Amino acid sequence: MNISELEKFKIEDAINFHDELNPLLFDEDNKLKPEVKKQLDIIVDDFIEYMGLPDLAVEDVIITGSNVAFTYTPHSDIDLHLMVDFAELPESDVYKELFNAKKSLYNDTYDITIRDIPVELYVQDTAQAHHSLGEYSLMQDKFTRYPKKQRANLDEISTEHKFERLEELCIEGLKTKDLDKVNEVLSIIKRYRQAGLDTKGEFGPENLAFKAIRSKGYFQALFDLRNKLRAQQLSIEEEFLRRTFEESIGITEQEVELSEEGVTEQYGEY
């Protein structure tokens, strides 16, 4: 993406209002289409296996967000939340870190879609409050919170201003070559959105600005940059450890080269 120019804000990038649920996912009875549910079940089982915790007590799996409401856009994800009672875990803080790490790795590693809709997985504490217009239980195969058809009075001016602030932050992050800076930008955006959800809800300017930023591709670009910088960092660390090890046992770079030449002379080139 071109990060030298600011994108024009459009409220349609954040939210649309529809008279029916997403027909790609739901049938005329407002139930998940069987083939969609089957594939989501497969994804959940694979994610649990990936975490390496086969005995994890998942109380429910719920779909949240715009795709279980009447406000979906072409950029909306399918948000799958595995509901787990953290209070039942022996070391809840350790497990929380594990869940977050595994979730990030899984979502970044596998480009999972259903009918071209990206699927994002989370592990959520049952005690944690969650803001969503609708909730659909995958285990019960029904809505546990049915969304209302409502056309909110959106504060487009405030949303546009907040979008511009977030966009400038994203562009600042995309121009850096500092991994810590990129992670800081992602963390700020996440806290910014959560604070808006807690105070003003789904239709608040902060959440709408977040959705518009996501639809423009800024988050994916930041995630890609983060992964690239992390890979470079690991490569440098690996090279440093290799050289430190060789120096500790008295092998110099020249000796390695001479040794390789001797092998070539003795056995010939392949």
Side-chain angles (χ1 to χ4, degrees), residues 128-139:
Q128 177 186 348
H130 184 71
H131 303 273
S132 179
L133 296 175
E135 290 184 0
Y136 192 96
S137 168
L138 200 60
M139 287 185 173

Side-chain angles (χ1 to χ4, degrees), residues 16 97 103 108:
N16 288 328
E97 290 295 326
K103 176 261 297 183
D108 291 345

